Amino acid sequence: MAEAVGLLEVFGLSTAFLAADAGCKAANVRLEVFDKNKPANADALPVPLLVMIKFRGSVEDVTAAVEAGMRVAEATTGVVQHYVIANPTEDCQKMLKISALDKK
């Protein structure tokens, strides 16, 4: 069975680092590469960049990490979305490696 995936999308890169740190300290998880998105309405957002944090581990640990990350993000710029995928497909796991942060 595949490791669970926790997805936490937040406003801004600094909030992503704070939330990822909190999640990793709260549970036995590891991080996949962050991803970014600048939506069309970016100027209307609290921070014009959305960052996706991706936690991997057991369902319980990933859930705890996402919850800890959410608490930190809500105290700073905010949470956009969050999900826990208990048993991702092989194709979904391949997509976790993709990141727009390394693109110009």
Side-chain angles (χ1 to χ4, degrees), residues 2-3 9-10 22 26 28-29 39-40 45 56 61 68 73 89 97:
E3 286 183 305
E9 189 172 37
V10 300
N28 184 24
V29 293
L45 299 175
R56 298 300 304 269
D61 284 328
T89 66
K97 305 293 184 197

Side-chain angles (χ1 to χ4, degrees), residues 8 12 19 21 24 33 37-38 49-50 53 64-65 67 69 78 82 85-86 88-91 93-95 100:
L8 176 58
D21 182 61
C24 288
V33 64
N37 181 23
K38 186 172 181 180
L49 179 69
L50 306 181
I53 305 161
E67 290 172 355
H82 70 281
I85 304 172
T89 66
E90 189 175 317
D91 290 334
Q93 291 183 71
K94 290 177 189 175
M95 298 301 290

Side-chain angles (χ1 to χ4, degrees), residues 11 39-48:
F11 293 106
N41 68 337
D43 293 336
L45 299 175
V47 176

